[in-house]
Amino acid sequence: MYPGVWPRESGLLVGDRLLPLDRPVHDDRVPVLAVGSNACPAQLRLKLDAAGLATPVPMVRCRVRGVEVGVSAHVSRAGYVAAAPVRAPGVVRELFLLWLDAGQLAAVDAGEGADLPRGNYRRVWLPAPDVEVEPEGGAALPGVFGYVDRHGVVHDGTPGSPRRHPGQRALLTELLLRSARLRALFGDTPEEFCARARADAALCARGTRVLAEEGLVTGSGLERYLRVEGADGGRSP
């Protein structure tokens, strides 16, 4: 079911409820663009609960130009192939922006492996006008944070052209049809893939290597924002 159910509108996540939001911008919090399960309230609550943290979290629907939802080139231990942002000049779509306090930001960073030397993602600053983010009911922002995949992303059949994420079932069906090696590891169906991958770190690592070895991986176009000085791109929340 990845990435889970996204809200239909902006709201304030408080426990099990999504309440009306009083404003689109929260200057005392950090803006983080969500392209996958971080935009699912249930998944976000799960991450915060695991860290012993409480909501509220403002979740704001935004008009975003310059970023598309691509396919991460790694198999997650949660049993799916996750989304990752990719550079997409001129593309406009709706995504969600999370406004996180320092503790919540640290918890989401941990969930993405942003602070680990071999973690799956690194949190970077995506500046305007390269990435334009206009919150619903608010003015365009000078930039936002996003999680760029360190493994690269899956291409659409042409190296250098990232694949748009079509949804988990369609994606896993496609990958299994394309690769006999993946079928040998994960089975013939999306259900088998998820069941075998879930919580098997060694198997997920082998699947990630297969994606690279079979030439299915390309750059996201956002690599230039990666910084060696820290997971926040040299900026402090």
Side-chain angles (χ1 to χ4, degrees), residues 37-113:
S37 64
N38 285 336
C40 171
Q43 176 70 4
L44 183 58
R45 189 193 63 182
L46 185 66
K47 288 184 178 182
L48 298 180
D49 285 351
L53 299 174
T55 48
V57 176
M59 304 181 68
V60 182
R61 192 166 60 180
C62 296
R63 181 176 181 271
V64 180
R65 180 188 297 272
V67 165
E68 182 56 279
V69 179
V71 178
S72 170
H74 82 278
V75 181
S76 165
R77 283 182 293 176
Y80 51 76
V81 178
V86 298
R87 182 173 181 268
V91 171
V92 178
R93 63 165 301 155
E94 287 191 347
L95 295 171
F96 272 86
L97 188 68
L98 312 178
W99 291 95
L100 304 177
D101 65 26
Q104 294 165 349
L105 182 66
V108 176
D109 276 356
E112 306 295 347

Side-chain angles (χ1 to χ4, degrees), residues 107-202:
V108 176
D109 276 356
E112 306 295 347
D115 295 325
L116 300 175
R118 296 187 179 181
N120 293 320
Y121 297 90
R122 181 179 289 275
R123 177 165 52 86
V124 302
W125 181 253
L126 303 174
D130 297 351
V131 177
E132 300 177 5
V133 178
E134 184 176 330
E136 186 177 53
L141 301 176
V144 297
F145 284 103
Y147 291 98
V148 173
D149 199 300
R150 289 169 166 168
H151 302 278
V153 295
V154 175
H155 62 66
D156 65 0
T158 303
S161 181
R163 171 79 164 93
R164 180 178 178 179
H165 204 302
Q168 194 65 199
R169 181 177 296 277
L171 174 65
L172 295 182
T173 299
E174 174 187 312
L175 290 175
L176 291 170
L177 285 173
R178 289 173 67 177
S179 172
R181 292 175 66 190
L182 288 178
R183 292 197 299 276
L185 292 175
F186 298 104
D188 296 326
T189 67
E191 290 80 6
E192 287 181 283
F193 187 109
C194 293
R196 292 189 189 185
R198 193 170 296 122
D200 190 332

